[in-house]
Amino acid sequence: MNIFIFVSEQWLLISLLLALIGVFLFTEQSKSGKTLGTAELVRLMNNDQAVVVDVRTTAEFESGHIHGSRNIPHTKLASRIGELEKSRGKTIVVVDKIGQHSGGAGKLLTKDNYDARRLSGGISEWQGAGLPLVTGK
């Protein structure tokens, strides 16, 4: 019951706190690159405007990945970012399992002046849309 009394008496402070949390989340999300859907990724790939970087582990990558994607695990992206230098003029689309690591990878790429985007929903969304995966390396 005391929490309700506090909220009713300090509604202005709580409103300010929630607004600041919202602004923080928005700015952090924008630093990691915009999200795009599966249809937009297919369009970019068909027009040769995108490079897909799969940041899942090698074992997950080999069990099924998007055709033409490159596997650079999120734990090794900082040390292997130079491998993407030839693709600097294209959109780098970061893909992971369900979106848990793509934000950090996108933030790292954006900081290094790449045009980074994140596949909304990751490889799970790709599969959910009925799009094909390639197995092996």
Side-chain angles (χ1 to χ4, degrees), residues 96-107:
D96 62 1
K97 190 171 185 175
I98 57 173
Q100 73 275 27
H101 298 296
S102 62
K107 190 173 184 178

Side-chain angles (χ1 to χ4, degrees), residues 4-137:
F4 297 115
I5 295 171
F6 177 78
V7 170
S8 67
E9 292 176 353
Q10 302 299 327
W11 64 271
L12 185 60
L13 289 175
I14 291 174
S15 299
L16 181 61
L17 175 65
L18 292 175
L20 289 173
I21 290 172
V23 168
F24 173 75
L25 291 175
F26 176 76
T27 57
E28 286 301 307
Q29 185 178 20
S30 66
K31 289 179 186 177
S32 61
K34 296 178 182 176
T35 59
L36 54 85
T38 55
E40 180 68 10
L41 176 55
V42 169
R43 186 189 67 75
L44 289 172
M45 289 172 62
N46 287 341
N47 292 329
D48 196 32
Q49 296 175 332
V51 174
V52 179
V53 176
D54 194 320
V55 295
R56 297 177 297 152
T57 65
T58 304
E60 289 175 321
F61 179 79
E62 290 176 358
S63 70
H65 58 272
I66 298 171
H67 176 73
S69 62
R70 302 169 82 169
N71 181 230
I72 304 177
H74 71 279
T75 56
K76 299 178 182 177
L77 184 60
S79 62
R80 293 178 56 189
I81 200 165
E83 295 177 22
L84 300 172
E85 189 61 38
K86 292 180 182 177
S87 305
R88 192 167 284 279
K90 296 183 179 182
T91 301
I92 307 294
V93 181
V94 180
V95 176
D96 62 1
K97 190 171 185 175
I98 57 173
Q100 73 275 27
H101 298 296
S102 62
K107 190 173 184 178
L108 180 67
L109 290 166
T110 301
K111 184 179 176 184
D112 205 27
N113 296 320
Y114 285 95
D115 179 19
R117 305 289 162 89
R118 297 174 290 131
L119 178 61
S120 178
I123 208 78
S124 297
E125 184 72 23
W126 184 267
Q127 286 178 297
L131 296 166
L133 294 176
V134 179
T135 56
K137 295 182 181 183

